[in-house]
Structures are given as C-alpha cells and as structure tokens.
Amino acid sequence: MVETQRPSSPPARNVLFASFIVCTRNRAAALETCIRSIETVCGTYAAGRCELIVVDNGSTDDTPERIARMISASPLTITHLIDTRPGLAAARNTAMTRARGGILVFIDDDCEIDTNYLADLERHYASGESGTIRGGRVELGDARDLPFTIKRSNARERLTCDIHPGGFVLGCNMTMHREVALRVGAFDERFGAGTSLQSAEDTDYLLRAYRLGIPIEYVPDMLVFHHHGRRTRLAIERLHRNYSFGNGALCMKHIRTTPWLLRHFCWTVRSAIREVFGGPRFDPVLHLSHWPIVFMNLLGALKFMSLSVAERTTGPVEQRAREQLQR
C-alpha cells in the first residue's frame, strides 16, 4: 500500500469531525468532480473539521496523477492511499483503518454532495442518536442517465425485517459514527464491486449491524447526486443482475442468523410467477423483470457456497478483515 498525504495535526475524535471516504478505480474525471464538491462544502461550512481519504483501488488511467495535483492545491486534508487488492470492500477497509474522524462518510467516486450535506449530517448526529447508521437521498446527477441506483423517497424510515435491506441505504451515501464501525467491524471482502460476488458489501454491513441491534435509518436529506453514466437498457440490466447475484450470496451467508431474507426471496418468486400472468414488473419504468432476480439469487447462493468451501483452507475472510481494522 502506497500513501501520500498533506501533513496535518490529528483532530479530536469527536462527532463534529467527519472523515469522507471515497474509493475509486479508473474514474479520474468523475473523481475530480466528487472531490471538488467535498472541498466546497467542507471549506464553506466546516473548515478544519473534515478530512478526505481517497483509496485508489488499482487504477490504470491517470487517477494517481490527478489526485496528486488536487492534493497540492487543496485546502482540505487529503490522504491518498493506493491499495491494489481487488474489490470495493477491501478499499473501504483500508480507508477505515486511516480515518480519524468521529463520523465516517462513504461517498462513491461518481457522486457529488449537496451544498447542505454537512449541515444535514451534523444535525442528525447532534440529535443524540450517534449509534445509528444513516443513509441519505440519492438523485440523478445527469438527467440523461437512466433512473437506477438512486433513492428518492421523501419519508424518513427505519430498517425492519419486513423491508429487504438491499437498496434501503445506498453504499454511495452511507454514514456512521466511528464507534459503530468498530462494533460492526470491517466490510466482508468477498462482496462488492471488483470481486467474484460483484455487489452487496454495503447490504451485508447493514445486516450485520441490524443483528447487533444498531438502528439503520434512511433520511430524505443528506443529498448526493449520482453520475452513474448508464444510459442504455443493456447497462442497467447488467447491473440489475449483478445486484441480484450479490444478494443471493448474501442470503446464503445469513440464512441461519437472518432467516427472514429467505422470506423476501419467496416473495420475489411469487412476484415473478404473477408477472407471467400479467402482474407488475419489478421496475415498470425501466421494464425490469423479477425473473433475473430469482435466477441470479440462486446463482449467487451457489457461488457463496463454493467460496465457503474454499475458505475452509484459508480462514474466514471477514475475520481477517476485522483484525486488520482493529489494529
């Protein structure tokens, strides 16, 4: 792992200091927009009370050079880490080991934060409920992109077993107190973009927190704009299948401790059957079917089983990641 950083004195570890965590791979142009939005908000609202940790997860474009230029010109404390281990979860774990703030804020590299983001964040964590994982609203950053990987609900809501955790809080806009992160542990590095399970590292994290009794809350503010760049049905269908594949692996991992996930799978099967007889699709706007969810869930479950068999000789991945975080 390689690191570059603008020197600074360590801040007090309290709720008012935020560590923004952005993991990236081959998205140099989008990353610049993301960083500029964080710089603008931190500079105008919370100068000296924010840091930014950027983890380059093996980029082959000019990402390292662009980050170096931004560090030299930025008023914000930026730590640049290079971690070539595959996967978003591994990159997030690396960032968490270096974060110094009382609040950890996970933002994807293709997102911009709203100008009121920090004011909203501070208000929620000053309410006395610091032991809550929160995610905010996610809107399209470009109207030409198809309406996917967004969350536009205006209702504040808590996760319950009647709600599937996938997409309840989006990993591109997820926050928590550092003590909550230490309690839940590291992200499971078998999941997420860049791994064989392709997605669901954020959903797995939420499930583990939920089982510990940690509240999971969606709030309709703390807004980010997602520039995901997908403008064709083919691109959306591919992502839809990847999410379903990861969620199938997730169900298999937690089937003993969180059996209500199986109930959600059964509901999806029922909806798929109804779809054959004229029932509604999973997403009527994008014409996405329930059937790919069913098939990819099953394939993801099988893939997780095969990984679990291989893991018996290498030791639990999640345990090794947890030990790294606690060092």
Side-chain angles (χ1 to χ4, degrees):
M1 181 175 68
V2 181
E3 172 185 350
T4 56
Q5 178 179 2
R6 175 189 289 273
S8 65
S9 57
R13 288 186 172 180
N14 57 59
V15 71
L16 299 178
F17 190 92
S19 293
F20 284 85
I21 293 173
V22 178
C23 302
T24 189
R25 188 176 190 275
N26 290 340
R27 283 180 176 171
L31 177 64
E32 283 202 34
T33 302
C34 176
I35 290 178
R36 298 303 181 206
S37 73
I38 295 171
E39 284 179 336
T40 299
V41 171
C42 289
T44 57
Y45 181 79
R49 292 193 287 127
C50 295
E51 69 171 353
L52 171 60
I53 299 174
V54 181
V55 182
D56 183 353
N57 197 207
S59 293
T60 57
D61 62 4
D62 63 341
T63 293
E65 292 78 15
R66 292 203 192 195
I67 294 174
R69 289 197 297 270
M70 284 186 280
I71 289 176
S72 64
S74 178
L76 185 63
T77 298
I78 301 178
T79 300
H80 175 207
L81 306 172
I82 299 176
D83 189 346
T84 57
R85 295 178 303 154
L88 176 58
R92 283 179 167 168
N93 286 339
T94 294
M96 288 168 71
T97 64
R98 302 305 302 271
R100 302 171 297 160
I103 297 295
L104 307 181
V105 183
F106 295 91
I107 302 291
D108 276 6
D109 58 354
D110 56 357
C111 292
E112 289 181 88
I113 64 172
D114 180 66
T115 53
N116 294 318
Y117 191 94
L118 271 174
D120 295 336
L121 178 80
E122 187 172 61
R123 184 179 67 256
H124 288 301
Y125 283 95
S127 67
E129 291 187 290
S130 61
T132 299
I133 295 179
R134 288 187 177 86
R137 193 162 91 249
V138 181
E139 293 280 3
L140 286 178
D142 190 324
R144 295 171 296 176
D145 295 344
L146 293 176
F148 202 63
T149 62
I150 56 175
K151 181 153 185 174
R152 291 172 160 169
S153 172
N154 289 319
R156 188 169 181 169
E157 192 174 12
R158 288 282 177 95
L159 179 66
T160 70
C161 61
D162 293 325
I163 304 171
H164 193 286
F168 179 77
V169 165
L170 300 186
C172 66
N173 183 11
M174 183 169 68
T175 71
M176 67 192 75
H177 195 280
R178 68 176 299 108
E179 298 306 320
V180 169
L182 289 172
R183 187 178 170 195
V184 179
F187 287 88
D188 188 333
E189 296 179 4
R190 294 169 294 188
F191 289 88
T195 70
S196 60
L197 295 181
Q198 302 176 11
S199 65
E201 85 294 335
D202 47 358
T203 311
D204 172 73
Y205 204 87
L206 296 181
L207 272 177
R208 287 158 48 204
Y210 184 83
R211 280 168 35 205
L212 292 171
I214 296 170
I216 315 295
E217 182 178 57
Y218 166 79
V219 293
D221 48 16
M222 282 171 44
L223 170 65
V224 305
F225 299 96
H226 196 184
H227 297 266
H228 65 72
R230 296 176 179 88
R231 298 172 185 174
T232 67
R233 179 180 169 82
L234 181 62
I236 295 300
E237 287 180 337
R238 184 182 301 115
L239 189 61
H240 180 47
R241 290 193 297 270
N242 287 350
Y243 285 161
S244 301
F245 187 83
N247 282 332
L250 188 81
C251 184
M252 181 56 63
K253 174 184 175 180
H254 294 279
I255 195 165
R256 293 182 180 177
T257 56
T258 318
W260 49 267
L261 284 177
L262 188 58
R263 184 171 73 238
H264 285 282
F265 173 73
C266 292
W267 288 346
T268 301
V269 172
R270 183 180 62 186
S271 296
I273 294 171
R274 287 177 175 175
E275 187 180 313
V276 173
F277 297 98
R281 287 175 168 261
F282 171 74
D283 188 324
V285 175
L286 295 174
H287 305 290
L288 298 176
S289 171
H290 290 93
W291 283 106
I293 302 176
V294 173
F295 293 136
M296 297 307 290
N297 277 179
L298 292 172
L299 289 176
L302 290 172
K303 181 63 177 181
F304 184 83
M305 290 173 63
S306 69
L307 289 178
S308 297
V309 171
E311 191 178 288
R312 292 175 184 173
T313 61
T314 61
V317 174
E318 188 176 303
Q319 180 179 336
R320 297 200 303 272
R322 180 187 291 273
E323 290 170 352
Q324 178 190 14
L325 177 62
Q326 292 175 339
R327 284 201 294 266

